[in-house]
Amino acid sequence: MDELVETVITWGGDEVIFAFIYLITPHLFLFTVKDVAADKISGSDGQDEFDFIIVGAGSSGCVLADKLSEGGNFTVLVLEAGGYPSPVQSLPTLAYSMFNQPGTDWKYDTEPQVGAAKGSISNKMAWPSGKGFGGSSMINGMIYVRGNVQGFDDLAEKTGDKRWSLDNLLKYYKELENYEGWYNTGGDADQHGHEGLLSIQKSSLAPFVENLMRAGEELGYRERDPNPGGPNTEGFERFAKMDLYLTENGRRSDAYHNFLKPVMPRANLAVRRFSHVTEILFRPNTTVGVRYLNNGKTFDVKARKEVILSTGAIGTPQILMLSGIGPKHHLDELGIPTRLDLPVGEYLQDKYGAMIGPFQVARHKSLIVGRDLTAAGLLEWLKRGTGPLKTALSQATHAHISKSARLDNRISAPDVHTYILTIPLNKELEKRVQETFNWKEETLQFFAEGAKSDSFIQMVCLERPLGRGVVRLRNRSPLSNPSINPKYFQDERDCRAIVEGLQFAVDVVENTTAFADIDGHLAPIQFPACVDVPFKSTAYYECLARHVTVTAYKYSGTAPIGRDDGTDVDAVVDTRLRVLGATRLRVVDGSVLQHKYMSVTIWSQLPRVLEKPSRKNQIKCRPLNKHCQTNCPEIQFVSVHGVGSLLHNVLLRWAPNLRKIVLVMDDKINSLRSRVDRAAEIEGHGRTPIKPMLETIHYIRADVERFLTPRCTAKMQDFVQEITTAAVNLKDFIIRDAFCPMLSGKVVLKKLKCNWYQPGEKLPISGLGYLTKLLEAAADSLEELELSGTFEVETSLDALKVGFALPRMRKLKSFKNWRVDVFE
């Protein structure tokens, strides 16, 4: 690298060297591609079976490889679709130049967005995702922000597993950290660890950052560590300087160099690069291995214990769906046999927002190519790891709670999080920036024009957007990137919060004396597509948000965690990250994390509101009801334990467009009422006629945790009959239990799915009788029937087979689809 620098200096000096390195970066990965035949890719060591197979050597996969191979007790295979990282990836300033480049990035992009990304080519967003050893830790901005860690407490409450609580997980953050950042002293110092493998350092900051910290103080926000471990309340709104994943000598600190590379010599660890996993192998629902492509050849490898997917929020759902695990309706469209009907890819989330700027400041207060990022600075970084190039161009951050969130009572954590970036531009670098963001030419030129002088950008993002997207397979080819539709701003509340955040970003600069001291202001250049609305008006900020939409690269939620008993309709994995319904298959990456604020609101607030039958508590309930009535018109599902008046009086009344409902009936409570319904019962509401409130529901899933006692069976049957008769538009009815309940009378039902989950004892013949009567009642309308069961007792298998041979079953002639799966 030193010789390269000296050579370029002779060609033309400071500005040329920086531009030159940017231009050659996409091709430097070729230097790291060694002789493929020399690697273990072909399995030339003769070993085609391992205890664990880890798919993906990214941020999670590298750590797993280290931990699982430690001690030599297990044999571990890591399969990575990419190769070794290039040397220039260690230079912090080049962080964003790795995006959308072959060899370092999967080059994902989104579907054209409706009402967003209008300033991007074809209204599509570039969605970078790291490819190669280290994964996204090798191409990201190296920003060290833990995020809304308080969401772990919500997750622990949702799943009933306290291991996911923040109190338990904080120790793992500390264990990973070797923290030497800006907030290593004072009250927050004990929130960090200092002996971990991930090095976190102070970066070189532009001079205007000190003015930014002062501006925050003027507006009532104190400078503080953005990574607290305690309750994230309003007091945690903050301004902060940026910590980065950096080594002591100013290089990138990443998963590959810190976790995987040091342990690759272990005899029980095999690492195969350029190995693209295309399918998980099963027998029948037991995971036995994977199939992968390398150098145009297909290989199968077996796993004695587990296959672990660590391919990220896009790669993981793709592999699962290609293997028959995903939404049945989608897999049917592609002709992929459904092994497990799970909502894979259904709840995509992203931290996203909009970019505003440039904000111009006085001379020498920011960064400019040629003046600040010079050959001399590069030599200083190479020799000592210091100087202006010890930065990823990320300067600082601030977070606050928007007015929109306060009105919705979402004040447990800041919902608007802003990154302060310096993106120095010149002609040589414009093409690279355009590739990074997939901007149209006019969008690029807008920011380039304002960045000719000292300036910076503010990227305003939503910590927990309310909208949800979806990931789908584009086709059956594992080599095709999946279809990604984040559905940006399709929830209007997200757009309102971003508009408010953009206004706040401008106020920070234009309405504080701290920035007035350095002549800080938003560049007086109106975005070309927004010239028809007044500059800096609410309409202007909304126009800007819908054009300069950006992602913060925090994709998640495509294989979310749920309760271990399988009662969460949105779950793909249990609290131990095991895929529901499969054995020896686990997902360990960002796809499992999800924050669905609406369900958390219902579960965490309603029980407390209705604890006591006092007038005070009734008044507390009104804002929530009003909120649901006005702001929840498209609520998709509600999980309710038991059956009772709370379900009828609150959830259905205030969600008039409810489409899905999940009922969890617990045999442990004789009355079939949980603590939530019992609270409502104490208030003396009693049962309420259900029929008028169910007219719009077309999906019901009833989960019964175990065999019901005889005393409860009749009550459950009565309830299921009542709700099915009342729901006149019911299309889908799913019952999950060791046997299905009896229904008498006429049932208008299009689809029935009935599952049995290892009851551990014989299937009662009465259960088959109930099911038969249900099918007979729905004979004229039922079109699809799916029955599946897993049994340990051989006589149960026989009983199931005999049960479906009953003569009465022949009356069901309207079926379009009939499926019976029985697994031992």
Side-chain angles (χ1 to χ4, degrees):
M1 182 67 78
D2 289 303
E3 294 179 0
L4 175 66
V5 172
E6 296 291 351
T7 301
V8 178
I9 288 176
T10 64
W11 289 351
D14 293 340
E15 188 161 332
V16 174
I17 183 172
F18 201 76
F20 178 78
I21 293 177
Y22 262 97
L23 291 172
I24 66 170
T25 298
H27 307 289
L28 281 181
F29 79 97
L30 295 173
F31 293 106
T32 68
V33 180
K34 300 179 181 179
D35 186 4
V36 173
D39 197 20
K40 295 181 179 180
I41 299 169
S42 64
S44 57
D45 56 359
Q47 190 176 22
D48 63 351
E49 187 172 8
F50 296 80
D51 290 324
F52 292 95
I53 298 174
I54 300 170
V55 183
S59 299
S60 299
C62 289
V63 178
L64 284 169
D66 177 13
K67 296 298 182 182
L68 287 175
S69 63
E70 192 174 37
N73 296 323
F74 305 114
T75 56
V76 180
L77 171 66
V78 180
L79 297 173
E80 168 55 45
Y84 290 111
S86 68
V88 298
Q89 286 176 263
S90 62
L91 178 59
T93 317
L94 296 183
Y96 298 99
S97 69
M98 306 297 167
F99 292 173
N100 301 320
Q101 303 301 327
T104 59
D105 190 352
W106 283 98
K107 299 187 67 173
Y108 296 133
D109 62 2
T110 71
E111 296 298 316
Q113 295 301 285
V114 177
K118 295 180 179 180
S120 299
I121 298 172
S122 301
N123 285 35
K124 293 183 176 183
M125 299 283 296
W127 266 36
S129 183
K131 186 177 185 180
F133 293 144
S136 293
S137 75
M138 292 302 309
I139 69 170
N140 63 18
M142 296 175 286
I143 296 170
Y144 183 66
V145 178
R146 289 177 185 166
N148 178 31
V149 291
Q150 285 67 31
F152 284 119
D153 288 333
D154 295 333
L155 185 61
E157 182 179 356
K158 172 191 173 184
T159 61
D161 191 335
K162 294 182 179 180
R163 290 173 300 181
W164 285 96
S165 66
L166 180 56
D167 283 344
N168 184 52
L169 293 181
L170 186 58
K171 62 188 177 187
Y172 296 109
Y173 277 104
K174 294 180 180 180
E175 183 181 323
L176 286 171
E177 295 173 346
N178 178 13
Y179 185 81
E180 297 294 337
W182 291 102
Y183 304 99
N184 202 24
T185 59
D188 293 323
D190 62 344
Q191 300 293 337
H192 294 288
H194 304 281
E195 298 180 359
L197 295 178
L198 284 177
S199 176
I200 298 136
Q201 301 279 326
K202 301 175 182 177
S203 65
S204 296
L205 300 179
F208 75 84
V209 173
E210 290 298 335
N211 298 82
L212 178 68
M213 297 300 106
R214 287 168 42 207
E217 291 178 2
E218 287 185 48
L219 296 174
Y221 303 93
R222 68 187 182 98
E223 179 185 349
R224 60 153 303 146
D225 187 352
N227 297 297
N232 201 347
T233 61
E234 291 188 52
F236 281 63
E237 296 177 297
R238 80 277 173 172
F239 279 57
K241 298 169 184 173
M242 199 69 80
D243 289 328
L244 297 182
Y245 286 107
L246 290 174
T247 63
E248 292 182 358
N249 61 350
R251 269 67 172 171
R252 174 187 290 271
S253 177
D254 60 85
Y256 168 64
H257 289 96
N258 293 334
F259 293 96
L260 182 60
K261 185 178 179 180
V263 302
M264 286 177 70
R266 289 176 180 170
N268 63 321
L269 175 64
V271 181
R272 300 178 183 174
R273 65 187 188 271
F274 305 113
S275 300
H276 187 150
V277 172
T278 61
E279 184 181 359
I280 304 165
L281 304 178
F282 295 93
R283 191 181 62 237
N285 273 10
T286 297
T287 309
V288 296
V290 299
R291 180 165 294 154
Y292 66 96
L293 289 172
N294 170 257
N295 238 8
K297 297 180 181 180
T298 300
F299 299 90
D300 289 353
V301 60
K302 297 178 181 179
R304 285 184 287 264
K305 294 186 177 296
E306 280 192 4
V307 169
I308 304 174
L309 295 183
S310 295
T311 46
I314 309 302
T316 287
Q318 181 181 23
I319 294 174
L320 287 173
M321 287 188 284
L322 287 169
S323 306
I325 301 176
K328 185 179 185 303
H329 65 88
H330 174 55
L331 300 182
D332 286 346
E333 293 172 353
L334 297 176
I336 299 175
T338 303
R339 184 174 301 278
L340 292 170
D341 185 3
L342 293 173
V344 173
E346 294 284 275
Y347 302 106
L348 173 65
Q349 296 176 269
D350 182 32
K351 181 176 180 178
Y352 76 96
M355 193 173 286
I356 187 168
F359 290 91
Q360 297 175 325
V361 292
R363 184 172 173 78
H364 294 293
K365 292 297 181 179
S366 187
L367 297 176
I368 294 180
V369 174
R371 186 193 69 193
D372 303 304
L373 306 178
T374 63
L378 180 58
L379 287 173
E380 180 182 354
W381 173 81
L382 286 168
K383 294 178 179 179
R384 292 186 292 274
T386 58
L389 270 70
K390 187 187 175 183
T391 178
L393 306 179
S394 304
Q395 305 292 333
T397 176
H398 57 77
H400 72 283
I401 300 174
S402 67
K403 294 178 183 177
S404 302
R406 293 181 192 277
L407 289 174
D408 288 348
N409 199 34
R410 292 184 282 119
I411 59 173
S412 62
D415 63 314
V416 178
H417 183 204
T418 300
Y419 299 91
I420 313 298
L421 310 174
T422 48
I423 305 178
L425 284 171
N426 62 7
K427 283 296 180 182
E428 290 80 4
L429 305 183
E430 285 182 6
K431 184 177 186 299
R432 178 59 50 76
V433 172
Q434 188 172 28
E435 289 175 348
T436 296
F437 295 105
N438 195 41
W439 280 343
K440 292 178 179 177
E441 184 64 27
E442 55 266 32
T443 306
L444 175 68
Q445 293 307 318
F446 169 78
F447 284 101
E449 179 66 24
K452 290 180 178 178
S453 59
D454 284 78
S455 62
F456 62 92
I457 300 290
Q458 295 197 60
M459 192 168 83
V460 181
C461 298
L462 295 172
E463 280 279 9
R464 296 176 296 175
L466 299 173
R468 299 290 179 268
V470 66
V471 174
R472 291 277 188 264
L473 294 178
R474 199 173 299 277
N475 51 51
R476 297 181 63 172
S477 171
L479 300 180
S480 297
N481 281 349
S483 169
I484 303 168
N485 187 0
K487 300 182 181 180
Y488 288 147
F489 293 141
Q490 289 194 22
D491 190 309
E492 289 296 326
R493 291 170 292 175
D494 289 344
C495 189
R496 289 198 296 269
I498 283 296
V499 167
E500 187 180 331
L502 294 174
Q503 176 65 67
F504 182 82
V506 174
D507 288 342
V508 167
V509 179
E510 296 197 335
N511 292 322
T512 59
T513 58
F515 270 104
D517 291 343
I518 56 172
D519 194 25
H521 61 279
L522 179 64
I525 309 169
Q526 200 152 353
F527 191 80
C530 304
V531 293
D532 294 334
V533 295
F535 186 46
K536 292 194 280 190
S537 65
T538 299
Y540 178 77
Y541 293 131
E542 180 172 349
C543 179
L544 190 67
R546 294 189 182 277
H547 281 80
V548 195
T549 316
V550 292
T551 172
Y553 320 112
K554 305 296 188 295
Y555 330 127
S556 65
T558 51
I561 298 174
R563 299 180 69 88
D564 290 349
D565 57 11
T567 57
D568 287 341
V569 69
D570 59 335
V572 174
V573 301
D574 64 15
T575 58
R576 294 187 179 183
L577 308 185
R578 300 170 298 190
V579 175
L580 296 169
T583 56
R584 294 162 50 178
L585 178 60
R586 206 179 295 254
V587 175
V588 184
D589 57 34
S591 64
V592 304
L593 295 177
Q594 180 189 38
H595 187 95
K596 293 173 60 81
Y597 182 79
M598 181 52 61
S599 63
V600 171
T601 301
I602 290 172
W603 278 111
S604 65
Q605 293 192 26
L606 281 181
R608 288 198 292 269
V609 165
L610 297 175
E611 266 182 349
K612 296 180 180 180
S614 67
R615 179 175 178 81
K616 182 178 179 181
N617 282 332
Q618 291 174 10
I619 293 174
K620 280 185 179 180
C621 194
R622 289 176 186 170
L624 179 62
N625 292 347
K626 181 179 179 182
H627 167 69
C628 287
Q629 186 179 30
T630 58
N631 296 327
C632 311
E634 297 178 357
I635 184 169
Q636 289 295 300
F637 69 86
V638 179
S639 295
V640 179
H641 281 263
V643 294
S645 57
L646 180 68
L647 166 66
H648 310 153
N649 286 337
V650 180
L651 300 177
L652 298 180
R653 178 179 298 175
W654 300 112
N657 294 324
L658 187 66
R659 291 294 181 265
K660 298 182 181 181
I661 186 168
V662 178
L663 307 169
V664 183
M665 286 167 268
D666 190 347
D667 66 306
K668 300 171 186 176
I669 303 175
N670 289 338
S671 66
L672 286 177
R673 297 179 186 274
S674 72
R675 61 186 182 281
V676 179
D677 298 298
R678 190 178 297 146
E681 189 179 16
I682 289 173
E683 295 191 27
H685 291 295
R687 289 186 66 81
T688 303
I690 195 171
K691 188 171 182 178
M693 301 181 185
L694 291 176
E695 293 182 351
T696 61
I697 292 182
H698 67 242
Y699 172 104
I700 292 179
R701 189 177 100 182
D703 292 343
V704 187
E705 294 186 1
R706 295 186 303 181
F707 286 101
L708 293 176
T709 63
R711 180 169 52 177
C712 294
T713 302
K715 293 184 179 181
M716 187 192 73
Q717 294 166 11
D718 291 343
F719 172 72
V720 175
Q721 177 64 57
E722 178 186 20
I723 201 170
T724 313
T725 304
V728 294
N729 293 323
L730 184 65
K731 296 295 190 299
D732 296 352
F733 189 25
I734 298 176
I735 304 174
R736 292 157 54 102
D737 186 30
F739 67 91
C740 294
M742 177 180 68
L743 285 175
S744 58
K746 199 66 175 175
V747 179
V748 179
L749 188 62
K750 296 294 185 183
K751 177 181 179 181
L752 174 65
K753 177 179 179 180
C754 188
N755 298 332
W756 290 267
Y757 291 107
Q758 280 189 324
E761 53 186 288
K762 293 182 180 180
L763 179 73
I765 298 299
S766 60
L768 294 175
Y770 293 158
L771 175 62
T772 300
K773 291 183 179 181
L774 171 61
L775 294 174
E776 286 183 324
D780 292 338
S781 57
L782 190 62
E783 295 181 352
E784 295 187 33
L785 174 65
E786 182 178 332
L787 305 165
S788 62
T790 304
F791 298 102
E792 298 173 351
V793 183
E794 189 171 336
T795 54
S796 294
L797 295 172
D798 296 335
L800 184 61
K801 295 171 184 176
V802 172
F804 291 119
L806 295 173
R808 289 174 292 183
M809 303 290 289
R810 296 174 185 171
K811 297 170 61 177
L812 300 170
K813 298 179 180 180
S814 60
F815 281 174
K816 292 181 180 178
N817 294 303
W818 168 292
R819 180 176 133 190
V820 179
D821 294 331
V822 180
F823 303 111
E824 297 187 43

